[in-house]
Amino acid sequence: AVLAVPIAARLGLGSVLGYLLAGVALGPWVTGLVGTESQAVQHFAELGVVMMLFLVGLELDPQRLWRLRVPVFGLGGLQVLGTAAVVAPVGLLLGLPWQQAVATGLILAMSSTAIALQSLSERGLLGSHAGQTTFAILLLQDVAVIPLLALFPLLATLPAAHATDDHGASLIAHLPAWTQAVATLGAILAVIALGRLVVSPLMRAVAHTGLRELFLAASLLIVLAVAALMSSVGLSAALGAFIAGVVLANSEYRHELVSDLEPFKGLLLGIFFMAVGAGIDLGLIADAPLTLIGLALGILALKVAVLLGVARVGGLGAEQTSLLAVALAQVGEFAFVLLGFAADNGILPPDATRPLVAATALSMAATPFLLLLHFRVLAPRLTAATPTRAAAVQDEGHPVLIAGY
């Protein structure tokens, strides 16, 4: 990473592509330093995604989150269902049963939270209209993973390959459905209650010790405890971390938490991207390069078409529409989880999941190039073609203090 990321950044490709290329170089098809361990590394490095959503939550107070409810459920739901509605007929044309076609459409609807938010954050665009809409759609996708894991067994057309405890298995998996629902709701309420009643006094007590390393340990403990709690009830650890971040958004220690966790987030996300790069099956791609590259490009094209429609419904301008489309066109990290779950539970055959995993990795690797195309080619032309208007600054009703220069 120390070698690849500065080179990629110097070439204007962004850090994500640098990490992916470093992972490919480390993987079994180049140097072989990382082989079958890439999946295990990826699970560990998903803590980077968890920390990223915790930090994003810290930037969102509950009132602002409530204002985002329309783009989250409206535009986010439209994107997920719209992508599934476009992809499923293609699957039927390729000869898949309707259950497998629907499952494939829902899996490919997922975009990469890590790549999209990291890329927009690096360019300072998270606060833009496209950035806010991107975040809202990604948040809905993270939430949608939970009902999808419950829905997918109903679409099974094959005997389950083998029962695994890696995906979705939890401490409450053996309980009746209504008990699981109550336990899940209880876990979410526990995160909110603990955030308000326990974490703030705890952070205050830790801060009074004056020990920087103790505050750092407490920050890590909060994130890891929430992730463990959510995983134990079968929910997304990233979603739990986001809720915890929102609860603590008004805490007086918010900035301290951000500064402490930022380096861990960046490093773990880097490892996550390298694990994705190492996991790309170059052998499968070499056996059928045109098929897999065509599959990846077809997925990107279909998702871009859906996202252009979503952006139009959301009222984005031409340049912001282009940014949204390229930022979310790839298939995301949750697709790896859902594809593994689909293979294990007899929803999709291995002949379908292996090329989809390779196409997912290729689409993630293509995203930095798509963003480069947007910023170098499309954005200047679309901005010039858009008539100038007053800046869309929201009046939050707060006074403005200007100090110094």
Side-chain angles (χ1 to χ4, degrees):
V2 171
L3 293 173
V5 174
I7 294 171
R10 187 71 181 268
L11 295 174
L13 301 176
S15 65
V16 173
L17 186 62
Y19 284 123
L20 286 169
L21 292 175
V24 170
L26 292 169
W29 304 101
V30 184
T31 60
L33 294 173
V34 177
T36 54
E37 311 93 340
S38 67
Q39 285 294 99
V41 173
Q42 203 165 302
H43 284 309
F44 162 74
E46 277 168 7
L47 280 173
V49 181
V50 169
M51 285 190 183
M52 178 178 66
L53 280 171
F54 179 72
L55 294 176
V56 167
L58 283 174
E59 300 296 331
L60 277 180
D61 61 77
Q63 290 179 343
R64 187 174 169 210
L65 186 60
W66 178 247
R67 286 201 302 271
L68 281 173
R69 68 190 184 281
V70 173
V72 168
F73 293 102
L75 299 182
L78 184 62
Q79 185 272 330
V80 171
L81 296 175
T83 304
V86 170
V87 172
V90 177
L92 290 172
L93 289 174
L94 294 174
L96 293 178
W98 71 265
Q99 296 96 326
Q100 294 181 13
V102 169
T104 303
L106 290 169
I107 290 171
L108 296 182
M110 300 295 114
S111 301
S112 174
T113 302
I115 288 181
L117 292 191
Q118 177 82 352
S119 300
L120 293 178
S121 177
E122 280 180 4
R123 294 173 169 88
L125 292 171
L126 272 181
S128 66
H129 195 172
Q132 291 286 291
T133 308
T134 297
F135 169 73
I137 291 172
L138 288 168
L139 181 57
L140 189 280
Q141 290 178 2
D142 288 345
V143 174
V145 171
I146 303 152
L148 287 182
L149 289 172
L151 168 71
F152 271 21
L154 303 176
L155 299 174
T157 56
L158 306 163
H162 53 276
T164 64
D165 293 329
D166 292 335
H167 313 296
S170 64
L171 297 178
I172 62 169
H174 61 283
L175 298 175
W178 70 269
T179 315
Q180 291 187 37
V182 171
T184 300
L185 183 61
I188 294 173
L189 293 175
V191 169
I192 296 171
L194 289 171
R196 292 198 179 281
L197 303 175
V198 176
V199 173
S200 290
L202 172 69
M203 299 307 279
R204 200 171 294 120
V206 169
H208 284 158
T209 66
L211 296 173
R212 174 85 180 177
E213 64 274 17
L214 191 61
F215 197 96
L216 177 58
S219 304
L220 290 169
L221 175 64
I222 291 168
V223 177
L224 296 176
V226 169
L229 173 64
M230 285 296 167
S231 298
S232 70
V233 295
L235 283 178
S236 159
L239 175 64
F242 174 76
I243 294 170
V246 171
V247 171
L248 294 172
N250 292 322
S251 164
E252 65 266 41
Y253 298 108
R254 176 167 70 92
H255 298 293
E256 190 80 5
L257 285 166
V258 170
S259 63
D260 277 349
L261 293 176
E262 193 74 38
F264 291 95
K265 179 209 79 171
L267 188 59
L268 285 167
L269 274 181
I271 296 172
F272 174 79
F273 293 134
M274 285 195 283
V276 170
I280 296 176
D281 192 341
L282 295 183
L284 183 64
I285 295 170
D287 289 341
L290 294 178
T291 302
L292 286 173
I293 292 172
L295 178 61
L297 290 175
I299 292 168
L300 289 169
L302 287 174
K303 290 194 73 173
V304 164
V306 172
L307 287 162
L308 291 176
V310 170
R312 189 172 182 83
V313 171
L316 274 69
E319 190 264 338
Q320 296 283 291
T321 296
S322 170
L323 177 58
L324 176 77
V326 298
L328 292 177
Q330 79 292 116
V331 186
E333 52 276 351
F334 276 126
F336 293 122
V337 176
L338 292 171
L339 284 168
F341 184 81
D344 293 337
N345 289 273
I347 299 148
L348 290 172
D351 290 346
T353 54
R354 285 180 66 232
L356 285 174
V357 167
T360 296
L362 285 173
S363 73
M364 292 171 85
T367 302
F369 293 107
L370 290 175
L371 285 166
L372 201 63
L373 174 70
H374 166 79
F375 288 112
R376 295 280 175 85
V377 179
L378 299 176
R381 297 181 182 182
L382 293 172
T383 305
T386 305
T388 55
R389 60 183 177 84
V393 178
Q394 271 190 315
D395 182 4
E396 305 263 337
H398 300 310
V400 176
L401 177 67
I402 301 176
Y405 279 97

